[in-house]
Coordinates of all heavy atoms in Angstrom, one line a residue:
Chain A
S147 N 15.8 21.2 -10.5 CA 15.0 22.0 -9.6 C 15.7 22.3 -8.3 O 15.3 23.2 -7.6 CB 13.7 21.4 -9.3 OG 13.0 21.1 -10.5
G148 N 16.8 21.5 -8.0 CA 17.6 21.8 -6.9 C 16.9 22.1 -5.6 O 16.1 21.3 -5.1
P149 N 17.0 23.3 -5.1 CA 16.4 23.7 -3.8 C 14.9 23.9 -3.8 O 14.4 24.2 -2.7 CB 17.1 25.0 -3.5 CG 17.5 25.6 -4.8 CD 17.8 24.4 -5.7
T150 N 14.2 23.7 -4.9 CA 12.8 23.7 -4.8 C 12.2 22.5 -5.5 O 12.9 21.7 -6.1 CB 12.2 25.0 -5.3 OG1 10.8 25.1 -5.0 CG2 12.3 25.1 -6.9
L151 N 10.9 22.4 -5.5 CA 10.2 21.3 -6.2 C 9.3 21.8 -7.2 O 8.7 22.9 -7.1 CB 9.4 20.5 -5.2 CG 10.1 19.7 -4.1 CD1 9.2 19.3 -3.0 CD2 10.8 18.5 -4.7
E152 N 9.2 21.1 -8.3 CA 8.3 21.5 -9.4 C 7.1 20.6 -9.4 O 7.2 19.4 -9.9 CB 9.0 21.4 -10.8 CG 10.3 22.3 -10.9 CD 10.0 23.8 -10.9 OE1 8.9 24.2 -11.1 OE2 11.0 24.5 -10.8
K153 N 6.0 21.1 -9.0 CA 4.7 20.4 -9.1 C 4.5 19.1 -8.5 O 3.4 18.7 -8.2 CB 4.4 20.3 -10.6 CG 4.3 21.6 -11.4 CD 3.3 21.5 -12.5 CE 3.0 22.9 -13.1 NZ 4.2 23.6 -13.6
K154 N 5.5 18.3 -8.1 CA 5.3 17.1 -7.5 C 6.2 16.8 -6.3 O 7.2 17.4 -6.2 CB 5.3 15.9 -8.5 CG 6.6 15.7 -9.2 CD 6.4 14.5 -10.2 CE 7.7 14.0 -10.7 NZ 8.6 13.4 -9.8
G155 N 5.8 15.8 -5.5 CA 6.6 15.5 -4.4 C 6.1 16.1 -3.1 O 6.8 16.0 -2.1
Y156 N 5.1 16.9 -3.1 CA 4.6 17.6 -1.9 C 3.1 17.7 -1.9 O 2.4 17.7 -3.0 CB 5.2 19.0 -1.8 CG 4.9 19.9 -3.0 CD1 3.8 20.7 -3.0 CD2 5.8 19.9 -4.1 CE1 3.5 21.5 -4.1 CE2 5.5 20.8 -5.2 CZ 4.3 21.5 -5.2 OH 4.0 22.3 -6.3
D157 N 2.5 17.9 -0.7 CA 1.1 18.3 -0.6 C 1.0 19.8 -0.6 O 0.1 20.3 -1.2 CB 0.5 17.6 0.6 CG 0.5 16.1 0.5 OD1 -0.2 15.6 -0.4 OD2 1.3 15.4 1.2
L158 N 1.9 20.4 0.2 CA 2.1 21.9 0.1 C 3.5 22.2 0.0 O 4.4 21.4 0.5 CB 1.5 22.5 1.4 CG 0.0 22.4 1.7 CD1 -0.3 22.9 3.1 CD2 -0.8 23.1 0.6
L159 N 3.8 23.3 -0.6 CA 5.2 23.7 -0.7 C 5.3 25.2 -0.2 O 4.7 26.1 -0.8 CB 5.7 23.6 -2.1 CG 7.1 24.2 -2.4 CD1 8.2 23.4 -1.7 CD2 7.4 24.2 -3.9
L160 N 6.1 25.4 0.8 CA 6.4 26.8 1.3 C 7.6 27.3 0.7 O 8.6 26.6 0.5 CB 6.5 26.8 2.8 CG 5.5 26.1 3.7 CD1 5.8 26.4 5.2 CD2 4.1 26.4 3.3
T161 N 7.6 28.6 0.4 CA 8.9 29.3 0.0 C 8.9 30.6 0.7 O 8.0 31.4 0.6 CB 8.9 29.5 -1.6 OG1 8.7 28.2 -2.2 CG2 10.2 30.1 -2.0
D162 N 10.1 30.9 1.3 CA 10.4 32.1 2.0 C 10.4 33.2 1.0 O 11.3 33.2 0.1 CB 11.7 31.9 2.7 CG 12.0 33.1 3.6 OD1 11.5 34.2 3.4 OD2 12.8 32.9 4.6
I163 N 9.5 34.2 1.1 CA 9.6 35.4 0.2 C 9.7 36.7 1.1 O 9.0 37.7 0.8 CB 8.5 35.5 -0.8 CG1 7.1 35.3 0.0 CG2 8.6 34.4 -1.9 CD1 5.9 35.6 -0.9
G164 N 10.5 36.7 2.1 CA 10.6 37.9 2.9 C 9.9 37.7 4.3 O 10.3 36.9 5.1
D165 N 8.8 38.5 4.4 CA 8.1 38.4 5.7 C 7.0 37.3 5.7 O 6.3 37.1 6.7 CB 7.6 39.7 6.2 CG 6.6 40.3 5.2 OD1 6.4 39.7 4.1 OD2 6.0 41.3 5.5
S166 N 6.9 36.7 4.5 CA 5.9 35.6 4.5 C 6.4 34.4 3.7 O 7.5 34.5 3.0 CB 4.6 36.1 3.9 OG 4.7 37.3 3.2
Y167 N 5.6 33.4 3.7 CA 5.8 32.2 2.8 C 4.8 32.2 1.7 O 3.6 32.4 2.0 CB 5.7 30.9 3.6 CG 6.8 30.7 4.6 CD1 6.7 31.0 6.0 CD2 8.1 30.3 4.2 CE1 7.7 30.8 6.9 CE2 9.2 30.1 5.0 CZ 9.0 30.4 6.4 OH 10.0 30.2 7.3
L168 N 5.2 31.9 0.5 CA 4.3 31.5 -0.5 C 4.0 30.0 -0.3 O 4.9 29.2 -0.1 CB 5.0 31.7 -1.9 CG 4.2 31.3 -3.1 CD1 3.1 32.3 -3.4 CD2 5.0 31.1 -4.3

Side-chain angles (χ1 to χ4, degrees):
Chain A
S147 306
T150 193
L151 291 165
E152 302 290 347
K153 299 212 167 61
K154 63 183 189 66
Y156 58 88
D157 294 293
L158 293 174
L159 171 66
L160 311 189
T161 303
D162 188 335
I163 50 167
D165 60 354
S166 16
Y167 290 102
L168 177 74

